[in-house]
Amino acid sequence: MTTTPTWDEIVRTHTPRVYHFAYRLTGNRYDAEDLTHDVFVRVFRYLHTYRPNSFEGWLYRITTNLFFDQVRHRNRIRFDELTPELRHRLPTKDLDPAALFDHRTLDDDIRSALATLDPRLRAAVVLRDIETLSYQQIATTLGVEIGTVSSRIHRARAHLRTSLAHRAPNRLNGRVPTNRPRSSPASGPAGEAA
């Protein structure tokens, strides 16, 4: 018989995963910390209702639902994110190694592109491409059909491709340039033998 872990065990074990997911959804550390806090408050309140199944799935579902609530609330009260020029003036805490890795692996372009996505599309693409959940797990987490998941991921990826087009390799006459030399090392400038 499987016993439900205590709240303290849940917090210790799952905080990094929940924070990582929350950061990908919100796009900034402060909202991710708030969202992570709210998730564990919700877990504390409703742990007695959890039925053994996929605990990680339950956490993803709670995090996603609270994120959508946060977005709805923010749409009523509009906040603009600080510009990079002003952001450096704020006092900051040292980042833990996981957060530092996240900041280095998803640069400002990618974080900005994710932030421009509709929250439903962002949740789907983050769950698939960053959290690597299956389409079925995403459908369960978001409470939608697999076809809806597929559609949201497709639309999110298309939007991201457009938003990040400036990062694509340069194209010459419809071909991607290669680093291969035009002539072999043993031949001269026009392909003649040396």
Side-chain angles (χ1 to χ4, degrees):
M1 181 173 159
T2 308
T3 60
T4 304
T6 67
W7 186 75
D8 289 337
E9 292 169 339
I10 292 167
V11 171
R12 272 194 314 275
T13 304
H14 298 283
T15 294
R17 173 178 286 179
V18 170
Y19 174 80
H20 181 265
F21 180 49
Y23 182 81
R24 294 298 178 235
L25 290 175
T26 62
N28 71 74
R29 187 170 115 197
Y30 304 104
D31 288 341
E33 288 171 355
D34 288 346
L35 182 55
T36 300
H37 173 267
D38 292 348
V39 167
F40 288 110
V41 167
R42 180 75 51 97
V43 168
F44 181 77
R45 286 185 186 152
Y46 294 100
L47 188 58
H48 69 280
T49 67
Y50 172 72
R51 300 293 171 250
N53 192 356
S54 168
F55 195 79
E56 287 80 12
W58 191 55
L59 286 174
Y60 281 127
R61 202 165 31 260
I62 291 170
T63 307
T64 304
N65 289 339
L66 288 172
F67 167 68
F68 290 149
D69 290 347
Q70 187 183 70
V71 168
R72 280 190 290 275
H73 178 72
R74 291 244 168 130
N75 284 340
R76 284 182 264 143
I77 305 169
R78 179 75 177 141
F79 290 100
D80 289 327
E81 190 171 334
L82 289 175
T83 62
E85 296 81 33
L86 294 176
R87 208 177 305 148
H88 79 278
R89 293 184 183 175
L90 295 175
T92 59
K93 296 185 269 182
D94 290 334
L95 295 177
D96 63 275
L100 188 60
F101 175 78
D102 288 343
H103 281 283
R104 288 183 180 156
T105 55
L106 287 186
D107 61 26
D108 287 337
D109 273 354
I110 296 171
R111 284 195 299 269
S112 294
L114 281 171
T116 63
L117 287 172
D118 175 281
R120 294 169 300 173
L121 301 182
R122 187 181 331 158
V125 79
V126 166
L127 285 167
R128 179 65 190 144
D129 293 340
I130 297 174
E131 298 297 321
T132 65
L133 268 62
S134 71
Y135 280 58
Q136 181 60 55
Q137 290 170 315
I138 298 168
T140 301
T141 298
L142 299 179
V144 298
E145 298 294 322
I146 289 180
T148 303
V149 169
S150 180
S151 172
R152 287 180 183 178
I153 290 171
H154 175 77
R155 289 173 36 214
R157 287 175 177 165
H159 179 81
L160 291 171
R161 266 191 302 278
T162 302
S163 296
L164 298 170
H166 65 280
R167 296 178 63 148
N170 291 332
R171 306 221 182 258
L172 301 174
N173 298 328
R175 294 181 307 180
V176 176
T178 62
N179 292 330
R180 285 183 280 149
R182 290 183 170 258
S183 58
S184 68
S187 62
E192 301 167 4

